[in-house]
Amino acid sequence: MEPTSLLIFAGALLVAAGSPGPSIAALIARVISKGFRDVLPFLAAMWIGEAIWLSLAVFGLAFVAQSFHMAFVVVKWAGVAYLVFLAWRMWTAPVEAGEGEMPSQDSPLKLFAAGMAVTLGNPKIMMFYLALLPTIIDLASVSIVGWLELTLTMAAVLIAIDLTWVFAAAQARKLLRSKRAMRIANRVSATTMAGAAAAIAAR
């Protein structure tokens, strides 16, 4: 693909993905509550989910998403339900752990499933790839190599954005060492996570 086209795509994605949304809110809440080491499955699922939407758009399969709309609705509400569950877990998390020690982690599989559900069920992401992307790039002329270039560009942009948010949340978490601070962090994270669930449910 032309470098100009990739730059336009990267710029549009930077604006769309860089603006805080339900996925970013869920990610920040998780890092502040539990630390950054166990969010990799969640992050990987977010990136793979966006790659799926990109592939649907590039290969002309937008009609699949429209034809199987109910399946994506189910995915959306599954993601909402799991975010609410995580919010409840954070709200009720114990604060008796020693310094630097946090409550037990959720399994990587559960975190991956949550990230995938949040991404596939997020109308903002779906609209970017299925509605906005065709106005930026002539998808009919995109070859397999072009799709690969778009996917790598997408991955570079998303990794940069998401890791920046993770780093910022991890730095904020370092300030939270006392039991009271941990309790406040858990409650704030739970509220943020619940807000992310509500934002997805309302769309």
Side-chain angles (χ1 to χ4, degrees):
M1 292 187 61
E2 292 292 331
T4 303
S5 298
L6 291 177
L7 285 175
I8 293 174
F9 168 66
L13 182 60
L14 183 65
V15 172
S19 57
S23 299
I24 296 297
L27 177 63
I28 292 174
R30 182 71 189 187
V31 173
I32 290 179
S33 177
K34 296 289 185 72
F36 68 89
R37 289 182 179 84
D38 69 336
V39 298
L40 291 180
F42 189 87
L43 280 172
M46 287 172 58
W47 300 333
I48 293 172
E50 297 227 16
I52 290 173
W53 281 122
L54 174 63
S55 299
L56 286 172
V58 168
F59 295 117
L61 298 180
F63 71 93
V64 173
Q66 297 171 355
S67 301
F68 295 93
H69 175 70
M70 185 56 63
F72 288 103
V73 170
V74 171
V75 169
K76 168 184 173 178
W77 285 104
V80 168
Y82 192 67
L83 287 179
V84 170
F85 171 73
L86 288 179
W88 174 77
R89 286 278 301 273
M90 289 177 183
W91 188 272
T92 59
V95 294
E96 282 72 25
E99 185 173 357
E101 185 182 353
M102 286 293 178
S104 59
Q105 306 170 352
D106 286 313
S107 72
L109 183 59
K110 287 182 179 179
L111 288 173
F112 184 87
M116 188 64 71
V118 167
T119 304
L120 292 181
N122 189 339
K124 172 187 171 183
I125 296 174
M126 178 180 68
M127 291 303 294
F128 175 81
Y129 289 106
L130 299 185
L132 181 60
L133 184 61
T135 67
I136 300 173
I137 295 174
D138 181 13
L139 296 179
S141 63
V142 176
S143 63
I144 295 295
V145 174
W147 165 76
L148 182 59
E149 291 173 341
L150 284 171
T151 302
L152 292 176
T153 301
M154 176 211 72
V157 171
L158 293 180
I159 288 172
I161 290 173
D162 293 340
L163 291 186
T164 298
W165 282 112
V166 168
F167 176 77
Q171 292 301 112
R173 184 176 183 270
K174 290 180 179 179
L175 303 176
L176 308 173
R177 292 301 184 189
S178 68
K179 290 182 179 180
R180 182 173 181 272
M182 288 175 62
R183 181 179 293 109
I184 292 174
N186 286 342
R187 299 291 170 83
V188 170
S189 297
T191 302
T192 304
M193 190 74 77
I200 295 175
R203 296 187 179 187

